[in-house]
Amino acid sequence: MFPHSPGPSLKWKARSNAILTVLKSFEADFLCIQELDEYDTFYKGNMEALGYSSIYVKRSEKKKDGCGIFYMNERVQFLLKEEIHYNDLVPSIDDKVTLFEEKSNLSSFTKEKAILPNAGSGGFAIKCYAHVDRGDTNDPRVRLKRDCVGIMAAFKLADPPHQLFIITTTHLYWDPEWPEVKIAQAKYLLSRVKKFRDDVSKKYDCAPPVIISGDFNSLPGSEVYTCMLSGMTSTSEGESQLPLNSLHAFLGGEPALTTCSPDFTGTLDYIFFSDSDSLKPISYIELSGPASSAMSGGFPNYHHPSDHLPIGADFKLFP
């Protein structure tokens, strides 16, 4: 998967311990991880030893990874959660309606340049992949059934004034040749988060702010990125909006990169937060730039055990 990476840095024992060391160093109240495998055998127990409880959703079918939210028991109280399965989009496609205008048969290609997932790392690499059989890719049901997931949960601060808030993490589909799939997923994500927020608001008589983090497999300025910022959702009851800000753009500008390989370097990961007077970012993790020696050869390497850089921030909640 990563021929550019030093062999020893990919060994599970060394790599898993390095990832754990990185996670521990943040001293964060929340850690959101995508493409998380070995959850039951490694992460759950090791993170519990550090004081974290967690919630996790596994991808559909035979996939081994998923998305997880780890939260510090002493500082926050877990209230309720919902899983997001993007395969739920499939039944929404009517036999007489084609979701996608693009009708080329992508299953017939001989070589495709694509962003491929690296299970367990939370990141991606660019490869040339030959003769991938993904079924009848002219069928929108087949294109939408990508087994991607997300998870969202409501939490309450342990200390007064006990503000409520919502944390969501997700991982959108990777293929740059199928942007309409990612757009459909982004719109579904927004509709689910909006409904969850409305339900939490009614249940707890509040207006909780929202944070959405994840790997969106989309560059700044892309349609997915723009869709997330607009927060516009369509439901059977009409259109509604959950306006969002991107953390880095709000504080000065998107980073030059969140992933780096010999074939691709760019920003694919984001933290979005709702436009609210009750939640404000005050700082964020400074990321290494393209000229850093730690970037040499791409990720993963001895400096970065994942093939994506971790992004993070400090937020302040206001009553």
Side-chain angles (χ1 to χ4, degrees):
M1 180 64 73
F2 298 107
H4 59 274
S5 299
S9 70
L10 300 178
K11 299 292 184 182
W12 171 244
K13 184 175 181 179
R15 193 178 185 198
S16 60
N17 287 329
I19 291 173
L20 198 63
T21 298
V22 170
L23 296 177
K24 183 179 179 180
S25 71
F26 296 137
E27 299 182 347
D29 296 322
F30 289 91
L31 294 163
C32 298
I33 306 178
Q34 305 82 46
E35 289 204 291
L36 177 66
D37 63 2
E38 305 293 346
Y39 171 73
D40 290 311
T41 60
F42 179 79
Y43 286 99
K44 188 174 185 291
N46 279 289
M47 295 302 288
E48 284 177 353
L50 297 176
Y52 291 92
S53 292
S54 58
I55 54 176
Y56 175 73
V57 57
K58 184 177 175 295
R59 292 177 68 195
S60 311
E61 303 298 332
K62 298 180 180 179
K63 307 298 191 300
K64 297 181 179 180
D65 63 295
C67 293
I69 298 175
F70 297 83
Y71 56 95
M72 187 61 73
N73 272 323
E74 294 183 353
R75 299 174 188 170
V76 297
Q77 177 186 347
F78 167 76
L79 299 177
L80 68 160
K81 69 173 182 177
E82 283 188 12
E83 297 178 357
I84 302 169
H85 293 267
Y86 294 107
N87 284 359
D88 291 343
L89 284 166
V90 175
S92 68
I93 304 301
D94 187 275
D95 287 339
K96 297 180 181 180
V97 177
T98 301
L99 179 65
F100 311 109
E101 295 179 1
E102 190 267 320
K103 304 293 284 185
S104 63
N105 189 348
L106 297 181
S107 64
S108 64
F109 63 77
T110 58
K111 184 175 286 188
E112 176 182 358
K113 192 175 185 182
I115 306 176
L116 301 177
N118 169 34
S121 72
F124 299 82
I126 296 287
K127 297 291 180 185
C128 287
Y129 208 65
H131 302 292
V132 177
D133 182 8
R134 290 180 283 185
D136 180 6
T137 55
N138 287 321
D139 186 339
R141 300 169 191 79
V142 172
R143 292 168 77 91
L144 282 175
K145 195 173 184 294
R146 298 296 100 201
D147 307 322
C148 300
V149 296
I151 191 167
M152 52 191 170
F155 296 90
K156 181 172 69 173
L157 287 182
D159 296 328
H162 305 296
Q163 297 104 315
L164 271 70
F165 53 96
I166 292 169
I167 301 288
T168 303
T169 193
T170 193
H171 175 202
L172 301 191
Y173 189 52
W174 56 265
D175 195 337
E177 299 296 329
W178 290 14
E180 73 282 358
V181 173
K182 287 182 277 191
I183 293 165
Q185 290 177 341
K187 290 181 177 180
Y188 183 63
L189 168 66
L190 289 169
S191 68
R192 289 291 308 277
V193 173
K194 177 65 166 57
K195 184 180 184 305
F196 184 69
R197 182 180 183 273
D198 290 345
D199 292 344
V200 171
S201 298
K202 293 176 183 177
K203 183 178 178 67
Y204 295 98
D205 190 24
C206 65
V210 174
I211 296 174
I212 305 176
S213 67
D215 184 342
F216 291 81
N217 272 316
S218 303
L219 294 167
S222 65
E223 191 168 350
V224 167
Y225 180 87
T226 303
C227 175
M228 292 300 299
L229 293 180
S230 75
M232 188 64 68
T233 66
S234 298
T235 67
S236 58
E237 300 176 356
E239 289 191 341
S240 61
Q241 195 170 17
L242 179 65
L244 298 172
N245 296 296
S246 172
L247 166 73
H248 288 92
F250 184 85
L251 294 177
E254 298 295 352
L257 61 94
T258 60
T259 186
C260 176
S261 78
D263 300 300
F264 175 82
T265 296
T267 296
L268 302 175
D269 309 273
Y270 306 94
I271 297 173
F272 297 103
F273 64 98
S274 57
D275 190 5
S276 167
D277 292 334
S278 61
L279 178 73
K280 298 296 180 185
I282 55 177
S283 64
Y284 61 88
I285 296 174
E286 294 284 351
L287 300 182
S288 302
S292 169
S293 60
M295 303 293 173
S296 179
F299 310 147
N301 57 33
Y302 294 117
H303 300 282
H304 299 292
S306 170
D307 57 347
H308 275 210
L309 293 175
I311 59 175
D314 287 320
F315 285 89
K316 185 172 183 178
L317 284 164
F318 297 88

